[in-house]
Amino acid sequence: MSRRVVITGGASGIGARLAERFAELGDQVAICDFDSAAGAEFARSHPGIGAHVADVTNEDAMQTFLGSVEADWGGVDVVFANAGTGGPAARIEEISLSDWRACLAVNLDGAFLTCRWAARLMRAQGAGLIVLTSSTSGQWGHPHRSPYAAAKWGILGLMKTLAMELGPAGVRVNAICPGAVEGARMERMLANQSKASGRDADTIRAGYADGTSLRTWVTADDIADAAVWLASDGASKVSGQAITIDGHTETNSA
Ligand code: NAD
């Protein structure tokens, strides 16, 4: 049966791959992104997927996006609170309150607004799955990325609590914690790190893989594989879990 799937931050990276994968499985998919150019490009190349422009930190914009999905579908089966931003890369002494708040707003306020809507619909349905995107930074910490790490730990607290609140209503809530995922975002980060340190980007890239037991980077497909499994009957008893997909790390190598 075709599922109704919502993904925030879906115009690029992990969110886009999630959208493609669920659409390939025959599901109805709607994404939102605050980057209107990326959203337009995504809509052009994915005509079967509903692409909306909405900033996850903006309550009115999210109400418009989610309200239109609700009006079209009458409910929702799978929701990915995926939109995120890395925030400032600096020592805490150099981070302004506004940069701290901006990072928490995207990663946490956005997840709150998305989950609050999903919870209302799914509780009434007596079924559903919410998946939040955390990070290994939300498990090990991440030097020079304190707002990001704090937000991603917060995501896990939100996930655990919603799993308790919504479990009795038949709703599952889990998080995926990716390690370093190949793609535009990490390419930008490697370029920045290379510029700041004077080290070659390929050396830094190899260092990320060396920091994992499996000596590997992760792909958006690896994340999508886990997401598809979480949404399958095989995961019907899985809730309240942080699923780490990182080639195995026990600490942040940053
Ligand atoms: P990405 O930058 O490729 O994609 C993120 C998308 O979210 C972009 O399309 C961006 O425009 C959108 N977005 C950002 N702020 C938004 C906002 N306020 N409202 C709506 N959309 C917004 O990054 P990605 O790697 O695909 O990241 C997806 C998620 O995975 C994030 O939560 C990120 O923190 C998490 N994550 C990524 C990695 C990695 O290595 N790439 C590792 C761990 C966790």
Side-chain angles (χ1 to χ4, degrees), residues 8-15 32-35 38 54-57 81-86 106-107 133-136 148 152 177-182 184-186 188 217:
T8 67
S12 68
I14 294 169
C32 81
D33 207 287
F34 79 156
D35 182 336
D55 182 333
V56 294
T57 68
N82 170 74
T85 188
V106 179
N107 290 297
T133 310
S134 177
S135 166
T136 47
Y148 182 71
K152 292 302 190 183
C177 301
V181 179
E182 285 173 18
R185 176 187 158 120
M186 284 305 287
R188 286 194 301 272
W217 277 66

Side-chain angles (χ1 to χ4, degrees), residues 88 90-103 146-147:
R91 294 176 182 169
I92 191 167
E93 305 95 291
E94 289 144 15
I95 293 175
S96 67
L97 181 58
S98 62
D99 283 350
W100 166 270
R101 283 183 173 153
C103 181
S146 52

